[in-house]
Amino acid sequence: FVESHVEVSGVSVLVSGMRRHLRDIDVQRQGCASLAIVSYFQDFNKLAIQTYGGVDAIIAAMVLHKEDAELQEHGCLAIWSLSTMTPPGSPGHDPEKAPEIQQTNRDRLEKVGGLNALIEALNRHRDNPVTCERASRALINLSHNSKPRSRKIFDEKGLTTLTKVMSTHTSNAHVCEQAAAAIKNISSSLHATSEDRGKALEGLDEASKVIVRAMRKHYTNADLQRQSCSALGNLALNVKLNERLETMKPIETISSAMKEHIKDADLQGRACRTFIIMCGAKGPVKRYLAAASKDPNLAKHHPVRAVLRAVESHVTNPKLMADAFRALKELLASSKEMCGMAAERLRKAKIPALVLGCRSGKLTILGDPKEEPGRTVLQYWDAVVKLVPALK
């Protein structure tokens, strides 16, 4: 049955065999593994698996054979494969049906206990890096843009479990990356509204500490740094956590990641957005800036310097420039002693001419002024100009 486009009858026979031999561990292992393979970026096969009850068969196997590490590995991979959107343009992509297939599979996985099965696999097989990596990837999919599923994962101690996974596999950058990405998605959905952000939630403190530790241990791993920067930002959306976050380590770690991966525009933008979130009234950025104004030794990791490096290195990237200017607006408002230095560095990089030229329509290096990125840059540029009169 392991073909790129397995016949519908083949899926039917496979799922039927899993149902008839539910207690046969070899049948269940091979069944889950086969469903994972044939559904990989193949919408036709995903639909067939969905139609013949393959989703239910996978979860039934995982629930009955909780202690079998090999089956859990295959089951987690199958859940990930079935809940992943097939990339547009790939041979197995159906542009008309793909979104519906993905959504239906995710809904069915939730309904038949897929979330609990994944969390159970992480808890029972926490020492197994393959299971942890695959279960985390599946939770990334199922928590994406879904507040109900993210809430259910959180209520079942999923976020706490992912934190423990990162602690267990602190030396495994790939496992930490996937677990951090899952925490990122769960946290984003949990804090979708201002009301959500004011709620006290258990486990956020330890999650933030473990993520910072992973970033410091794997500082050269760009993928982990990207996911972790965003995860810290989404965790900090919680007002109560933002007020409790440690002052030094998170800020210094994010600044160091920006410096180490200065050419990575995606990472720079994520870090800038996280700084903005952490600029809350009692957030760690405000505390760090207050401490830095009195202690010159903190200048090395100063957020303003980190953001300025991003601006200087990615001046032609309109999306990043917008994020960077939003960050500068918040940072310079609380760090006015840095305004002169910021003005000089921006002037040397010819930023005022570029941005002001974009305003007048004479330059397009920041994108067409009629496009959203250009307008966003100018909106926040005006705020920065007021703080740095020398830039006018």
Side-chain angles (χ1 to χ4, degrees):
F1 302 127
V2 185
E3 299 293 338
S4 60
H5 277 286
V6 66
E7 294 182 1
V8 171
S9 59
V11 172
S12 174
V13 171
L14 177 57
V15 174
S16 177
M18 291 180 70
R19 285 174 171 166
R20 285 199 308 271
H21 304 285
L22 186 56
R23 296 191 178 280
D24 188 314
I25 189 63
D26 291 324
V27 170
Q28 298 306 314
R29 286 174 184 162
Q30 292 305 314
C32 286
S34 296
L35 291 175
I37 294 171
V38 300
S39 61
Y40 181 69
F41 293 166
Q42 295 291 338
D43 289 333
F44 178 84
N45 295 344
K46 287 180 184 180
L47 182 59
I49 292 168
Q50 181 187 112
T51 301
Y52 286 99
V55 172
D56 299 47
I58 293 166
I59 303 306
M62 292 179 70
V63 170
L64 184 62
H65 302 284
K66 294 178 180 178
E67 300 298 337
D68 191 86
E70 183 181 344
L71 184 143
Q72 296 300 317
E73 290 179 12
H74 297 324
C76 290
L77 183 62
I79 294 175
W80 171 80
S81 184
L82 285 165
S83 61
T84 297
M85 175 73 78
T86 301
S90 63
H93 179 65
D94 185 330
E96 293 184 4
K97 296 181 180 179
E100 181 182 353
I101 291 171
Q102 179 198 51
Q103 189 59 50
T104 302
N105 276 340
R106 291 182 179 185
D107 290 344
R108 187 63 187 174
L109 283 163
E110 177 188 2
K111 185 175 182 179
V112 298
L115 300 177
N116 290 338
L118 291 168
I119 296 169
E120 183 78 11
L122 287 172
N123 281 318
R124 287 179 181 270
H125 303 279
R126 194 184 305 153
D127 292 334
N128 185 327
V130 177
T131 296
C132 289
E133 182 263 337
R134 292 178 176 181
S136 296
R137 287 168 64 190
L139 287 172
I140 292 170
N141 286 348
L142 294 172
S143 60
H144 181 64
N145 287 340
S146 175
K147 184 176 178 180
R149 279 197 289 269
S150 293
R151 185 73 223 191
K152 186 176 291 187
I153 293 168
F154 182 82
D155 289 343
E156 294 297 326
K157 308 296 182 184
L159 189 141
T160 300
T161 299
L162 288 162
T163 300
K164 292 177 180 177
V165 165
M166 292 187 70
S167 294
T168 300
H169 298 282
T170 182
S171 297
N172 190 319
H174 192 56
V175 171
C176 286
E177 174 203 341
Q178 300 302 321
I183 292 173
K184 173 199 70 177
N185 281 2
I186 295 166
S187 300
S188 175
S189 296
L190 286 177
H191 300 113
T193 68
S194 56
E195 181 181 355
D196 294 333
R197 294 169 191 174
K199 296 178 180 177
L201 296 176
E202 181 183 353
L204 303 190
D205 296 82
E206 186 59 28
S208 64
K209 291 176 184 177
V210 167
I211 288 170
V212 169
R213 284 200 294 270
M215 292 179 72
R216 294 167 82 90
K217 186 171 184 64
H218 303 285
Y219 66 94
T220 61
N221 188 306
D223 292 330
L224 183 145
Q225 299 296 322
R226 287 189 213 103
Q227 297 299 333
S228 296
C229 278
S230 293
L232 285 175
N234 290 347
L235 287 167
L237 286 169
N238 187 278
V239 175
K240 297 182 183 299
L241 174 68
N242 203 18
E243 294 175 355
R244 295 194 305 268
L245 275 173
E246 188 179 354
T247 300
M248 300 301 171
K249 282 187 178 180
I251 308 306
E252 292 177 352
T253 302
I254 295 169
S255 294
S256 295
M258 294 178 75
K259 186 175 183 179
E260 177 70 22
H261 303 280
I262 188 61
K263 294 182 180 180
D264 191 322
D266 185 19
L267 187 151
Q268 302 297 317
R270 291 171 187 248
C272 286
R273 293 191 291 274
T274 294
F275 278 152
I276 293 167
I277 294 168
M278 290 184 174
C279 274
K282 297 180 181 179
V285 167
K286 292 289 181 71
R287 285 180 263 126
Y288 189 95
L289 296 178
S293 66
K294 301 175 183 177
D295 184 354
N297 293 324
L298 297 179
K300 179 180 178 181
H301 299 293
H302 202 292
V304 170
R305 295 181 185 276
V307 175
L308 286 171
R309 278 196 300 268
V311 170
E312 292 164 344
S313 300
H314 299 276
V315 68
T316 60
N317 186 320
K319 186 175 185 301
L320 176 54
M321 291 288 280
D323 288 330
F325 281 122
R326 288 176 60 208
L328 283 175
K329 173 194 172 185
E330 299 294 335
L331 293 168
L332 291 175
S334 300
S335 185
K336 295 185 178 180
E337 71 279 359
M338 300 292 287
C339 286
M341 181 273 292
E344 185 60 26
R345 286 181 62 168
L346 291 172
R347 189 185 301 106
K348 285 183 178 179
K350 300 181 180 179
I351 304 299
L354 294 175
V355 178
L356 296 175
C358 181
R359 175 189 289 145
S360 64
K362 295 178 181 178
L363 294 176
T364 59
I365 195 164
L366 291 179
D368 188 333
K370 295 180 181 179
E371 295 178 354
E372 186 61 30
R375 289 203 300 272
T376 305
V377 168
L378 295 178
Q379 174 187 351
Y380 289 98
W381 175 257
D382 288 338
V384 175
V385 166
K386 292 177 183 177
L387 292 169
V388 192
L391 289 176
K392 288 184 178 180

